[in-house]
Amino acid sequence: MAANSSQPTYFIFPDLVSHCIKYPLNYHSNGDEIANQSIEWLISSCPDLSLEGRRAISNMEAGKLVAFTYPSATSSRLRIIADFMNYFSYFDIICDDIAAREADIKELCDVARKALGYMPTTPTEETRAVVLNLERIASDFWAPFIADAVPGVQQRLKTALEHYFEGIQIQAKSRDTSLSPDLGSYITVRRNTSALIEYALDIYLPDRVFEHDSIQELNRWTTNFVALSNDILSYNVEQASGSNHNIIDLLMEYHGHTLQSAVDYVGNLCNQSIEEFDRGRNQLPSWGAEIDAKVTKYVEGLQDWIVGSLHWSFQNDRYLGTDGDEVMRTGIVQLLPRKAHQEKGGEETWSCMVNPRYS
């Protein structure tokens, strides 16, 4: 891929868009307004957040992601979902900024569990300030969510969060011990469920339906696609900043792949996920007219996540800078130069490395 070097200077992005073209792309009618309100809420709630941290959270555009992925939600529910997403964007930045030791990450996960009302915790002196802030701002969206969501949806979201907490703790352990999970374990850790779809659409699937193998398979293929396509999209920025916690890196380091063959391999997994999703959708059993109507809405919600998250990634500067349209057209991703690691001082500044090209 490089003319005069053994090191690649670019890679070819796999054609994922054409595999999703069958799914309609929608955007919430009040999406931009709600996205702006949500990010203003988070930044105003975090006065100690550094300028770089504020820019990083703003560039994530989590509010626009939820406008793509929950386009049929009411405006009030979309706002709660946007606040939820921005909160965990802030949480991710904190986890990245504290050197990501396993013990620190576990404590922060316990803090979030307490903030969301299902586990007590006692902060250390070093983490007391961030603990209190995480608890305080969580109540702004969690209290209205609890008041509005049925108990079953609440429990499913808590279960989804446990998978998330488990995943980031495993990643922290890998950093601490220099161990890497096998490929199957890595994909399993990256999965999340789509519990917020029911909340967004004001539906609730009975346990016997939600836990049915056919529905769980659709969830699995959806989250496979979202997690794996995200790893391809984020690889360039991550390699430039020195991060190597990506399935592309795992394939190159432990499975003998080149950069392009690793990208192609993950692209094939993404396209396989779409094919399996379509197959499963066409083979769903019937639970009666009333439940079938809810299942149809739920499956459409999964489709919104597949196509919405992909197009959001191309339009968002976070991964591809201003080159999203060009990458979608040509497939060529020019590799960014690697940057020196930032030194972290004794004080928590909530700094976050942001490549100037993407800011």
Side-chain angles (χ1 to χ4, degrees):
M1 287 184 284
N4 300 312
S5 172
S6 60
Q7 296 299 316
T9 60
Y10 69 92
F11 66 85
I12 304 298
F13 195 90
D15 181 14
L16 305 182
V17 175
S18 66
H19 278 71
C20 302
I21 201 168
K22 66 195 84 172
Y23 308 144
L25 178 65
N26 299 301
Y27 191 81
H28 196 280
S29 57
N30 294 325
D32 287 347
E33 178 183 0
I34 291 170
N36 291 334
Q37 291 172 350
S38 182
I39 197 65
E40 289 172 4
W41 158 78
L42 182 67
I43 289 176
S44 66
S45 300
C46 303
D48 294 331
L49 194 64
S50 71
L51 177 60
E52 284 185 293
R54 294 182 183 207
R55 291 171 63 192
I57 290 177
S58 296
N59 287 348
M60 287 181 183
E61 296 190 325
K64 291 187 177 181
L65 171 62
V66 302
F68 271 116
T69 52
Y70 303 101
S72 300
T74 64
S75 292
S76 60
R77 290 195 174 193
L78 190 75
R79 173 58 195 275
I80 291 172
I81 296 171
D83 288 354
F84 176 89
M85 292 292 191
N86 275 312
Y87 176 84
F88 278 98
S89 295
Y90 173 56
F91 188 86
D92 282 342
I93 285 179
I94 294 172
C95 290
D96 288 341
D97 209 54
I98 62 173
R101 296 192 308 273
E102 183 184 5
D104 295 330
I105 296 297
K106 182 180 185 305
E107 181 179 352
L108 283 175
C109 289
D110 288 347
V111 167
R113 290 182 178 103
K114 179 185 179 183
L116 303 178
Y118 60 103
M119 180 176 178
T121 187
T122 302
T124 63
E125 286 300 320
E126 291 78 7
T127 60
R128 184 172 301 279
V130 66
V131 164
L132 295 176
N133 202 46
L134 281 170
E135 292 179 359
R136 179 176 58 80
I137 63 178
S139 65
D140 288 349
F141 66 85
W142 193 250
F145 170 77
I146 293 297
D148 199 26
V150 299
V153 170
Q154 295 177 33
Q155 185 56 51
R156 284 173 187 166
L157 181 56
K158 290 177 181 178
T159 299
L161 287 171
E162 282 304 309
H163 293 310
Y164 164 76
F165 294 141
E166 174 192 0
I168 61 175
Q169 288 178 80
I170 289 176
Q171 287 183 340
K173 183 176 181 178
S174 297
R175 284 188 286 263
D176 280 358
T177 62
S178 299
L179 293 175
S180 177
D182 62 68
L183 184 59
S185 298
Y186 181 91
I187 294 173
T188 299
V189 165
R190 291 300 306 274
R191 288 188 187 132
N192 201 345
T193 64
S194 303
L196 285 170
I197 290 176
E198 291 176 284
Y199 175 68
L201 298 176
D202 195 19
I203 59 175
Y204 176 67
L205 302 182
D207 287 344
R208 64 185 176 87
V209 177
F210 186 80
E211 295 170 3
H212 193 276
D213 287 348
S214 61
I215 298 296
Q216 289 303 303
E217 281 293 289
L218 292 179
N219 286 337
R220 185 164 74 92
W221 295 122
T222 299
T223 51
N224 263 15
F225 179 88
V226 172
L228 295 174
S229 61
N230 180 266
D231 269 15
I232 304 175
L233 285 155
S234 65
Y235 173 77
N236 196 15
V237 172
E238 291 180 359
Q239 65 83 26
S241 66
S243 173
N244 62 351
H245 298 281
N246 185 300
I247 194 171
I248 305 296
D249 293 293
L250 187 152
L251 287 167
M252 289 192 291
E253 184 168 357
Y254 295 96
H255 296 266
H257 280 272
T258 64
L259 172 58
Q260 188 61 57
S261 69
V263 169
D264 292 342
Y265 183 87
V266 180
N268 288 335
L269 290 178
C270 291
N271 291 332
Q272 177 189 350
S273 297
I274 295 296
E275 293 167 3
E276 293 297 332
F277 179 90
D278 287 339
R279 183 178 294 111
R281 179 187 56 184
N282 293 329
Q283 296 176 352
L284 283 170
S286 175
W287 290 277
E290 181 179 355
I291 293 179
D292 286 353
K294 294 179 180 180
V295 168
T296 297
K297 285 186 176 182
Y298 183 79
V299 173
E300 289 172 352
L302 293 174
Q303 292 175 187
D304 286 336
W305 249 104
I306 290 171
V307 67
S309 64
L310 181 63
H311 281 265
W312 168 81
S313 298
F314 279 104
Q315 295 183 25
N316 181 280
D317 290 352
R318 180 183 182 187
Y319 298 135
L320 301 173
T322 59
D323 298 335
D325 290 340
E326 183 71 9
V327 172
M328 186 178 285
R329 185 179 67 84
T330 67
I332 298 175
V333 179
Q334 298 288 344
L335 291 180
L336 295 166
R338 288 181 178 266
K339 301 191 73 175
H341 291 287
Q342 288 183 339
E343 295 295 329
K344 300 186 186 295
E347 296 184 0
E348 292 172 331
T349 60
W350 314 116
S351 64
C352 179
M353 186 180 296
V354 182
N355 193 295
R357 178 179 166 192
Y358 292 87
S359 56

